């Protein structure tokens, strides 16, 4: 007995867990990195997830974690869990993104930096960090957020619900779209697209125009049905100083 994964998200087929006729098993590469069990006091049903696999019982839907629908079996909806809405960004990760932005400017690129972390229980660790390479690569679409998502997905799989993207600058519509398709778990950014546009109008140069795409990343996420924690203006003043940063 099996059910098709939700086609618009591209998830794989679901299968019934061996020996558990009432459950649906998720393949290990789509399992959240933490384990928890919680009872539904009304029905007595329970839900369990751990590193090796997951089983969701259809009568247990009272949980403290955010979730996303991955598919359907008959009339039932099945979900995996993402980063909770209570997620608190960490200064040290944005400071690392700022350091990457300065290194990018040192080599002649736009001072924009990004970091991707992974949240595992109470631990959050850096998976990758990089600076922008639009100018040095000769490609106007090599935005650091997009390149980082491609890099991390190549090692951890197509979907990244337990990962956080930190960026010194708000992701443009292109990069926000990549966040939707990769199912990133949360986004944290410093300066907004409005900040970028304002600086470009006032102080943009032929070499550093600071063009902006005035479509908020939150709008892209909303239209992409991707409801995740988004924190804007995080260490905003520190990130704004990157506009005027010059190599020493």
């Amino acid at each position: 007995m099996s059910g098709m994964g939700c086609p618009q998200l591209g998830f794989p087929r679901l299968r019934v867990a061996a020996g558990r006729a009432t459950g649906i098993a998720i393949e290990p590469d789509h399992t959240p990195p933490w384990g928890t069990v919680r009872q539904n006091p009304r029905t007595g049903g329970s839900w369990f997830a751990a590193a090796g696999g997951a089983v969701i019982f259809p009568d247990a839907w009272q949980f403290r974690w955010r979730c996303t629908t991955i598919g359907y079996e008959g009339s039932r909806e099945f979900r995996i869990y993402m980063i909770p809405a209570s997620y608190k960004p960490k200064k040290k990760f944005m400071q690392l993104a700022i350091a990457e932005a300065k290194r990018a400017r040192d080599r002649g690129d736009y001072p924009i930096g990004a970091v991707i972390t992974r949240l595992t229980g109470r631990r959050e660790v850096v998976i990758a960090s990089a600076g922008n390479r639009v100018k040095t690569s000769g490609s106007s679409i090599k935005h650091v957020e997009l390149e980082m998502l491609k890099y991390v997905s190549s090692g951890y799989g197509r979907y990244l619900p337990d990962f956080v993207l930190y960026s010194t600058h708000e992701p443009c519509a292109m990069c926000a779209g990549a966040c939707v398709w990769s199912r990133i778990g949360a986004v944290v950014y410093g300066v907004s697209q409005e900040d970028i546009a304002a600086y470009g109008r006032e102080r943009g140069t032929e070499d550093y125009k600071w063009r902006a795409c005035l479509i908020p990343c939150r709008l892209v996420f909303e239209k992409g049905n991707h409801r995740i924690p988004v924190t804007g203006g995080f260490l905003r003043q520190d990130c704004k100083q990157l506009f005027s940063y010059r190599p020493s």
Side-chain angles (χ1 to χ4, degrees), residues 6 20 27 84 86 97 103 159 201 210 224 229:
C6 192
R20 296 182 183 274
E27 297 299 330
S86 59
R103 280 193 281 271
Y159 304 111
R201 285 192 301 268
W210 286 106

Side-chain angles (χ1 to χ4, degrees), residues 1-16 24-27 30 68-74 76-80 158-159:
M1 173 180 169
S2 64
M4 289 300 294
C6 192
Q8 66 268 32
L9 298 183
F11 282 96
R13 291 176 66 90
L14 305 177
R15 60 182 176 80
V16 172
I24 293 293
I26 305 172
E27 297 299 330
H30 291 290
T68 184
T69 299
I70 63 168
Y72 300 88
E73 179 69 35
R76 301 193 189 101
E77 181 181 41
F78 299 100
R79 301 172 173 182
I80 60 173
R158 293 172 59 190
Y159 304 111

Side-chain angles (χ1 to χ4, degrees), residues 16-241:
V16 172
R20 296 182 183 274
T22 60
I24 293 293
I26 305 172
E27 297 299 330
D29 60 337
H30 291 290
T31 302
W34 33 261
T36 186
V37 176
R38 188 166 183 181
Q39 291 290 120
N40 183 325
R42 184 176 60 83
T43 65
S46 62
W47 177 91
F48 172 77
V55 177
I56 298 176
F57 294 88
D59 55 352
W61 298 112
Q62 297 182 9
F63 311 117
R64 61 188 175 87
W65 290 89
R66 294 173 61 84
C67 58
T68 184
T69 299
I70 63 168
Y72 300 88
E73 179 69 35
S75 62
R76 301 193 189 101
E77 181 181 41
F78 299 100
R79 301 172 173 182
I80 60 173
Y81 283 76
M82 301 166 69
I83 291 172
S86 59
Y87 172 75
K88 303 295 185 185
K90 312 297 190 300
K91 287 184 178 181
K92 62 182 180 180
F93 299 134
M94 184 60 84
Q95 288 166 344
L96 175 57
I98 291 171
E100 290 285 3
K102 291 178 178 179
R103 280 193 281 271
R105 184 64 179 88
D106 289 344
R107 62 174 178 264
D109 222 307
Y110 281 95
I112 300 173
V115 170
I116 290 182
T117 64
R118 190 178 193 184
L119 193 63
T120 307
R122 294 180 179 275
R123 296 179 63 244
E124 186 173 4
V125 297
V126 173
I127 300 300
S129 65
N132 213 39
R133 293 185 180 275
V134 166
K135 293 175 71 65
T136 51
S137 70
S139 172
S140 61
I141 62 173
K142 271 190 175 290
H143 290 196
V144 64
E145 301 94 338
L146 178 61
E147 295 302 303
M148 291 267 288
L149 289 167
K150 289 164 58 178
Y151 175 77
V152 175
S153 292
S154 69
Y156 288 87
R158 293 172 59 190
Y159 304 111
L160 308 171
D162 49 322
F163 292 75
V164 182
L165 171 65
Y166 284 78
S167 180
T168 55
H169 296 61
E170 180 181 3
C172 69
M174 175 181 70
C175 296
C179 290
V180 172
W181 295 121
S182 64
R183 315 305 292 174
I184 195 75
V187 170
V188 181
Y189 66 85
V191 298
S192 68
Q193 288 290 321
E194 293 285 353
D195 291 328
I196 298 170
Y199 186 86
R201 285 192 301 268
E202 296 173 9
R203 302 185 184 181
T205 66
E206 187 61 31
D207 289 332
Y208 292 89
K209 295 182 176 68
W210 286 106
R211 295 182 298 168
C213 179
L214 297 178
I215 302 174
C217 66
R218 285 184 174 89
L219 178 60
V220 178
F221 299 154
E222 176 188 341
K223 296 299 184 181
N225 195 30
H226 188 51
R227 298 176 177 85
I228 59 171
V230 178
T231 302
F234 189 68
L235 297 191
R236 180 170 176 262
Q237 292 306 315
D238 293 342
C239 292
K240 283 186 74 173
Q241 292 176 12

